[in-house]
Amino acid sequence: MSVSRELQTLIFDTLVADAGVGALVGDRIYDAMPSEGQYPCITFGPADSFNDDLQCVDARTETVQLDVWSRDQGRMGPCKDICDAVKVALHLSDLSLSQHALVRIRTDGIRVFRDADGVTAHGVVTVEADLEEANG
């Protein structure tokens, strides 16, 4: 499994297992929003990485965007609560990968805004991970 895919799986599993996140979104954490998606929920957004190789170590820093969605008459508060729960679950948590190495994971930023429909609150949680790739 690629290091990017393993990181996404780790983030997904961590959020699903977290009681604080679960209390707010249940099991509605998706790779992509299903056509019949229910709110509130979390979806994976864009990800990017850059090489951060060290001597004898293939390393990278990967940034993953988590999109948080809520619909509560345009209110922003519920979306902010979910974003904060995601931060608590992930920021500087002692997590590990099975095939590759997770050096550190942190939430670098949270942004919450109202979508153009006036009803949906949209949060963006930026997660950054320092990773060491297994060779072979």
Side-chain angles (χ1 to χ4, degrees):
M1 179 182 300
S2 74
V3 66
S4 295
R5 180 75 177 261
E6 191 175 9
L7 175 62
Q8 180 172 325
T9 300
L10 175 67
I11 292 170
F12 176 86
D13 291 345
T14 301
L15 295 178
V16 166
D18 186 81
V21 172
L24 298 169
V25 300
D27 63 353
R28 294 182 301 276
I29 302 170
Y30 309 114
D31 188 6
M33 181 73 85
S35 60
E36 303 278 331
Q38 295 180 352
Y39 295 86
C41 65
I42 299 169
T43 59
F44 281 84
D48 57 49
S49 65
F50 65 89
N51 290 338
D52 197 16
D53 293 343
L54 304 169
Q55 187 174 3
C56 301
V57 177
D58 292 332
R60 70 165 69 182
T61 298
E62 183 147 345
T63 303
V64 177
Q65 176 177 308
L66 297 173
D67 293 297
V68 174
W69 308 92
S70 68
R71 282 191 177 161
D72 192 358
Q73 301 171 346
R75 293 178 34 224
M76 306 285 271
C79 191
K80 290 177 180 181
D81 292 342
I82 299 165
C83 289
D84 286 344
V86 168
K87 179 182 178 186
V88 168
L90 295 174
H91 187 67
L92 300 177
S93 293
D94 186 18
L95 303 173
S96 62
L97 300 171
S98 59
Q99 184 177 358
H100 304 279
L102 175 63
V103 177
R104 180 173 68 167
I105 189 167
R106 62 195 165 277
T107 52
D108 280 347
I110 296 173
R111 181 171 180 246
V112 178
F113 51 95
R114 191 170 292 107
D115 273 359
D117 65 8
V119 178
T120 305
H122 183 178
V124 174
V125 180
T126 305
V127 178
E128 188 172 275
D130 296 322
L131 305 156
E132 293 178 1
E133 300 176 60
N135 292 325

